[in-house]
Amino acid sequence: GENVEQHPSTLSVQEGDSAVIKCTYSDSASNYFPWYKQELGKRPQLIIDIRSNVGEKKDQRIAVTLNKTAKHFSLHITETQPEDSAVYFCAASKGGSEKLVFGKGTKLTVNP
Amino acid sequence: DAEITQSPRHKITETGRQVTLACHQTWNHNNMFWYRQDLGHGLRLIHYSYGVQDTNKGEVSDGYSVSRSNTEDLPLTLESAASSQTSVYFCASSQTGRGDEQFFGPGTRLTVL
């Protein structure tokens, strides 16, 4: 089955710096890659996703890149702000109704 | 507004007791999922359902069961609670054909003593 590895497990940056979180997946049939943000004590919420037919997607300060050949995808957050502090999860699935397989999460801390 | 709810939000029980966690969504989504979240393990899939009367085992299904008798609800039952099942439980739902986003409930914190 699918296996998703996520690095780093913790990341600390200064406000205004960029943050990058990387994930690799094992199943070449996976074609949907969402990123979820979970603030302390809250539920995970989708912040951005990408499908295998595109290599990059941006939404304001966040972007996701996908390298299908290498089977890895990354989350990029620019101009980080304290409210970006949270745990971020990547996931992979074969799309449609297929179940998501999550990485173990990255705790991002943005220091003012 | 349509939403997904879980109850109870917090539960303390004893080893060996049967516990049922409720999940209810009003979006009429056909897909529903149960995850457990533990430090260092992320979100792990317990059971999932693609529709009424359909249930499937996930990655960590031992000791858990689900049933889907209607579209709105997917209760999760711990047949005989164990301390290893102390965790935060999230249910989620999604709709086939409307993108792949899963919407999560607020979570249930379960402690097994």
Side-chain angles (χ1 to χ4, degrees):
Chain A
E2 177 65 276
N3 182 51
V4 177
E5 299 282 342
Q6 183 172 346
H7 299 280
S9 57
T10 61
L11 179 60
S12 181
V13 300
Q14 290 299 120
E15 183 176 358
D17 288 349
S18 295
V20 180
I21 303 170
K22 300 181 179 181
C23 290
T24 61
Y25 61 99
S26 61
D27 191 342
S28 56
S30 290
N31 59 16
Y32 175 65
F33 307 94
W35 286 88
Y36 283 80
K37 175 183 180 181
Q38 186 179 26
E39 298 176 352
L40 189 63
K42 304 289 187 181
R43 71 189 79 187
Q45 292 191 299
L46 180 74
I47 55 171
I48 195 167
D49 56 15
I50 192 168
R51 300 181 190 277
S52 58
N53 58 344
V54 298
E56 184 176 6
K57 184 176 179 181
K58 291 182 179 180
D59 184 2
Q60 298 182 359
R61 295 186 298 106
I62 62 173
V64 57
T65 59
L66 172 65
N67 183 325
K68 288 168 51 181
T69 302
K71 288 191 280 189
H72 68 69
F73 55 111
S74 300
L75 177 71
H76 304 255
I77 306 174
T78 59
E79 301 173 17
T80 54
Q81 302 168 2
E83 51 265 39
D84 294 328
S85 296
V87 178
Y88 291 81
F89 293 97
C90 63
S93 86
K94 297 175 187 176
S97 307
E98 287 294 321
K99 56 188 184 293
L100 291 172
V101 177
F102 284 86
K104 293 184 178 181
T106 296
K107 183 178 181 181
L108 173 65
T109 302
V110 180
N111 301 299
Chain B
D1 287 340
E3 60 178 354
I4 181 167
T5 58
Q6 294 182 234
S7 62
R9 296 294 313 280
H10 302 271
K11 174 77 175 177
I12 300 174
T13 191
E14 295 178 343
T15 302
R17 290 188 180 266
Q18 184 181 79
V19 177
T20 297
L21 309 183
C23 176
H24 179 80
Q25 51 96 6
T26 59
W27 286 304
N28 205 35
H29 285 172
N30 60 313
N31 307 319
M32 295 185 74
F33 308 84
W34 273 104
Y35 297 90
R36 61 178 289 175
Q37 184 173 33
D38 305 286
L39 199 62
H41 291 279
L43 292 154
R44 293 183 291 175
L45 184 63
I46 306 172
H47 282 286
Y48 58 104
S49 168
Y50 290 148
V52 176
Q53 302 301 330
D54 175 75
T55 60
N56 305 279
K57 292 181 179 180
E59 175 189 2
V60 290
S61 61
D62 287 350
Y64 303 94
S65 64
V66 294
S67 62
R68 187 93 179 269
S69 59
N70 58 52
T71 301
E72 296 80 16
D73 299 288
L74 186 69
L76 177 71
T77 297
L78 287 68
E79 303 294 344
S80 177
S83 58
S84 59
Q85 295 177 309
T86 292
S87 186
V88 178
Y89 292 85
F90 286 98
C91 70
S93 70
S94 70
Q95 178 61 39
T96 303
R98 294 186 193 172
D100 298 310
E101 180 177 0
Q102 289 188 18
F103 297 86
F104 283 78
T108 293
R109 181 174 296 276
L110 176 68
T111 302
V112 183
L113 301 176

